[in-house]
């Protein structure tokens, strides 16, 4: 959880499973990023997010970026973990139907005319990105300014 540049509180809510649809259908807050608005109501910022452990806002564009851990049991090399960018509130990021940019899940058929936002970066499978932080300081060379640091676990 953290406060965004708009002063509102944001939180990630992981999927209740490795990969499923029933739990998400029963409670659509699962597999999402939400924010508490000024009326004390939770609004959905991003859907189809399996397990985001960290998010941050780009210091110039103020767009939210978040990491997302890929599902297990598809193999050692797939699916990738992801870095995603929210362009519009409510964007869908593919889970549980699509992993990475184009890996369909054999167990979950996407609805007809399903659209989703592709990741801006794919990390190696199972590296488990744990957080992201944009750098806006002056201690490192200029090259790093407004760039993202991503901590990984895997």
């Amino acid at each position: 959880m953290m406060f965004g540049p708009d002063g509102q509180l944001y939180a990630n809510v992981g999927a209740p499973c490795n990969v499923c649809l029933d739990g998400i259908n029963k409670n659509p807050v699962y597999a999402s990023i939400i924010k508490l608005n000024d009326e004390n109501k939770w609004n959905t910022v991003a859907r189809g997010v399996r397990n985001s452990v960290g998010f941050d806002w780009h210091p110039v564009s103020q767009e939210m970026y978040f990491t997302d851990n890929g599902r297990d049991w598809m193999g050692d090399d797939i699916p990738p973990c992801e870095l995603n960018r929210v362009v519009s509130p409510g964007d869908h990021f593919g889970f549980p139907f699509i992993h990475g940019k184009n890996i369909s899940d054999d167990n979950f058929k996407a609805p007809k005319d399903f659209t989703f936002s592709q990741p801006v970066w794919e990390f190696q499978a199972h590296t488990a990105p744990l957080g992201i932080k944009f750098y806006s300081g002056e201690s490192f060379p200029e090259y790093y300014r407004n760039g993202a640091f991503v901590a990984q676990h895997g």
Side-chain angles (χ1 to χ4, degrees):
M1 294 175 75
M2 70 186 293
F3 287 96
D6 58 3
Q8 295 180 338
L9 182 64
Y10 290 73
N12 53 316
V13 182
C17 55
N18 175 49
V19 60
C20 63
L21 193 53
D22 289 345
I24 298 167
N25 284 340
K26 289 178 185 172
N27 189 346
V29 74
Y30 286 129
S32 69
I33 297 175
I34 56 178
K35 76 173 178 175
L36 187 62
N37 66 22
D38 293 333
E39 291 83 38
N40 288 327
K41 304 270 187 207
W42 289 102
N43 292 8
T44 302
V45 175
R47 300 173 297 126
V49 180
R50 179 181 176 267
N51 183 24
S52 176
V53 182
F55 48 86
D56 198 11
W57 287 263
H58 189 277
V60 176
S61 71
Q62 297 298 301
E63 291 175 312
M64 176 190 264
Y65 284 73
F66 65 91
T67 59
D68 195 12
N69 293 333
R71 68 161 286 184
D72 294 319
W73 306 323
M74 287 185 89
D76 291 340
D77 299 318
I78 61 170
C81 293
E82 304 170 4
L83 175 63
N84 294 289
R85 179 184 68 205
V86 177
V87 175
S88 300
D91 283 350
H92 199 289
F93 291 88
F95 179 82
F97 311 112
I98 307 289
H99 308 284
K101 292 183 179 178
N102 63 0
I103 299 172
S104 297
D105 196 305
D106 292 339
N107 297 316
F108 299 94
K109 184 167 177 57
K112 187 177 179 178
D113 300 325
F114 178 71
T115 60
F116 71 102
S117 296
Q118 292 188 350
V120 296
W121 185 262
E122 293 181 326
F123 299 105
Q124 182 177 345
H126 312 296
T127 56
L130 296 178
I132 177 173
K133 182 67 179 164
F134 282 99
Y135 178 73
S136 59
E138 297 182 7
S139 297
F140 292 154
E142 176 73 25
Y143 172 81
Y144 293 97
R145 193 154 309 133
N146 301 325
F149 286 94
V150 175
Q152 293 182 309
H153 174 282

